Amino acid sequence: MATPQPIPEDFDSAQLDLEIDLATRGGLQRFKTVGDFVVWLNEEQEFWAWLDRPPVTCVHVLGASSSGTTTLGAALSAHLGGAHLDTDHYFWEPTDPPFTTRRPPEARVAMMQADLAGAAHAVISGSLIGWGDVLVPQFDLVVFLHV
């Protein structure tokens, strides 16, 4: 496992309302700061290791447009020492100006599956609704960001 990198101070104390759906653990967990979430995530990794289960390897961060999913996803991926996969990169073709041409759904999924296959740890940020349902079983943890 890559050595986790500390989250920059401005992220650690950021006042956010994180709601995590613990589908496999039964219920919702709420956090008020990114730092609180990171502490919990580290404790969960230790807990799963104690149970001889694999640690969190794929986290999906989603929320409303402009809620900070990309920012939080980048910070978490840096902390976990893994890849950051933002859905905008997969949804949109590279154009000038950006965000004008959609990539076909099959191409989006194929690209993301290839990137996930090459990553020991990954944080996906953004929405997969309507095109990425096939990826959902790979998520160990889902973070829904409220602002």
Side-chain angles (χ1 to χ4, degrees):
M1 177 175 167
T3 303
Q5 301 298 312
I7 291 179
E9 287 180 37
D10 57 333
F11 287 114
D12 200 40
S13 62
Q15 294 297 307
L16 301 173
D17 184 12
L18 300 177
E19 184 173 288
I20 300 174
D21 183 359
L22 303 174
T24 59
R25 300 286 302 279
L28 296 175
Q29 184 77 17
R30 296 183 73 95
F31 303 93
K32 292 296 180 188
T33 68
V34 175
D36 291 343
F37 171 69
V38 170
V39 167
W40 176 85
L41 184 61
N42 287 335
E43 289 170 357
E44 284 295 299
Q45 298 241 14
E46 292 169 13
F47 177 74
W48 285 333
W50 179 72
L51 288 177
D52 200 31
R53 293 182 60 198
V56 173
T57 58
C58 188
V59 178
H60 182 203
V61 180
L62 66 150
S65 181
S66 300
S67 66
T69 60
T70 301
T71 302
L72 180 58
L76 288 175
S77 66
H79 177 77
L80 294 171
H84 176 226
L85 311 177
D86 190 74
T87 57
D88 282 342
H89 170 76
Y90 301 90
F91 190 88
W92 299 104
E93 294 279 357
T95 57
D96 186 19
F99 311 120
T100 58
T101 305
R102 295 177 183 179
R103 184 174 275 121
E106 305 80 32
R108 297 176 211 157
V109 170
M111 287 174 59
M112 188 169 281
Q113 284 176 325
D115 289 345
L116 284 170
H121 299 281
V123 178
I124 299 170
S125 59
S127 177
L128 300 165
I129 294 172
W131 63 270
D133 292 345
V134 68
L135 300 165
V136 171
Q138 296 182 53
F139 304 156
D140 298 309
L141 183 66
V142 176
V143 177
F144 186 77
L145 186 57
H146 294 270
V147 292

